[in-house]
Amino acid sequence: MKLGYTITYVLDVTASLAFCEQAFGLKRRFLHESGAYGELDTGETTLAFAAHELGDMNFPGGHVRADTSAQPLGFEIALVTDDVPAAHARAVEAGAREMAAPSQKPWGQVVSYVRCPDGLLVELCTPVGG
């Protein structure tokens, strides 16, 4: 097995795709004509967004909506970059909320955290051992 997709349920798929394009420089790979599902090109694993309505169909008992949760969910995606401070500044300028400023970790990695307008928690980090 291999990890194929990370899918986040969001209020506005098109807006989430556009935000990630602007904030992180990711490229849009696909947007369904309904606007209810879209993907970004992030390498081998696809980062995708689906409308809350699809989540409601998949989970009849409902799901926790990251955009309405006061605290970030206990889940993050990590985007690897050689320049965390610049990536962090770009994301905040695009509308992300700073959760933790860039800092050097004891193991040598530089890491920061931002929260996207749709509630997705994103770690920006240098490569491990880099």
Side-chain angles (χ1 to χ4, degrees):
M1 253 193 245
K2 71 174 188 171
L3 178 61
Y5 296 86
T6 297
I7 302 171
T8 301
Y9 294 99
V10 297
L11 183 63
D12 185 334
V13 172
T14 303
S16 292
L17 291 171
F19 174 80
C20 287
E21 289 170 320
Q22 181 182 4
F24 308 120
L26 299 173
K27 302 289 184 221
R28 187 178 307 203
R29 178 166 46 199
F30 172 77
L31 176 61
H32 188 269
E33 62 189 31
S34 69
Y37 178 81
E39 300 177 351
L40 293 165
D41 186 3
T42 58
E44 190 170 325
T45 300
T46 300
L47 175 59
F49 298 96
H52 283 302
E53 293 77 18
L54 291 178
D56 292 340
M57 284 178 18
N58 292 333
F59 312 109
H63 64 280
V64 176
R65 295 177 180 225
D67 61 318
T68 61
S69 174
Q71 294 290 101
L73 302 180
F75 171 82
E76 69 178 57
I77 64 162
L79 298 176
V80 180
T81 179
D82 291 329
D83 190 348
V84 171
H88 184 90
R90 178 180 178 173
V92 170
E93 184 177 303
R97 184 166 52 128
E98 180 178 83
M99 301 301 289
S103 66
Q104 181 87 29
K105 298 298 182 183
W107 52 89
Q109 199 178 23
V110 177
V111 175
S112 77
Y113 293 91
V114 297
R115 192 168 180 196
C116 302
D118 59 26
L120 180 63
L121 181 62
V122 177
E123 174 184 337
L124 300 168
C125 60
T126 55
V128 175

